[in-house]
Amino acid sequence: RWLIERNGGMMKKWFYEYNDVMRIMNVKEGKAYEIIRKLNEELREKGFLTQRGRVNIKYFNERYNIG
């Protein structure tokens, strides 16, 4: 999949999808999409390109103080 990059034989995922957000935040599908939309809106305001239905892992983790 295009969401994953091969790096020295290891797989690195760059984006969370709605099901990842559901699991991490313990929310329903609609709320997961709402979270993704909000974060992507913030990223667009900062001049970044976004992908509908996916959110950058690093930004998600930063905003929710994970990691």
Side-chain angles (χ1 to χ4, degrees):
R1 277 170 49 172
W2 65 273
L3 295 175
I4 300 174
E5 174 185 296
R6 242 184 225 291
N7 185 6
M10 297 184 69
M11 302 295 272
K12 182 170 183 181
K13 191 170 179 177
W14 290 96
F15 298 94
Y16 284 143
E17 297 179 24
Y18 80 94
N19 55 337
D20 298 312
V21 175
M22 285 176 61
R23 182 178 40 81
I24 293 165
M25 302 296 291
N26 195 28
V27 296
K28 294 184 179 181
E29 183 177 334
K31 183 64 176 181
Y33 277 117
E34 183 182 322
I35 290 168
I36 290 170
R37 277 192 300 273
K38 179 173 177 12
L39 294 177
N40 280 339
E41 182 181 321
E42 292 174 9
L43 285 168
R44 282 191 300 276
E45 288 173 1
K46 294 179 179 191
F48 292 95
L49 298 175
T50 61
Q51 177 67 39
R52 187 173 171 192
R54 294 166 175 81
V55 65
N56 179 274
I57 289 174
K58 183 176 177 184
Y59 189 70
F60 177 91
N61 291 345
E62 178 181 300
R63 289 288 284 124
Y64 283 94
N65 200 28
I66 298 173

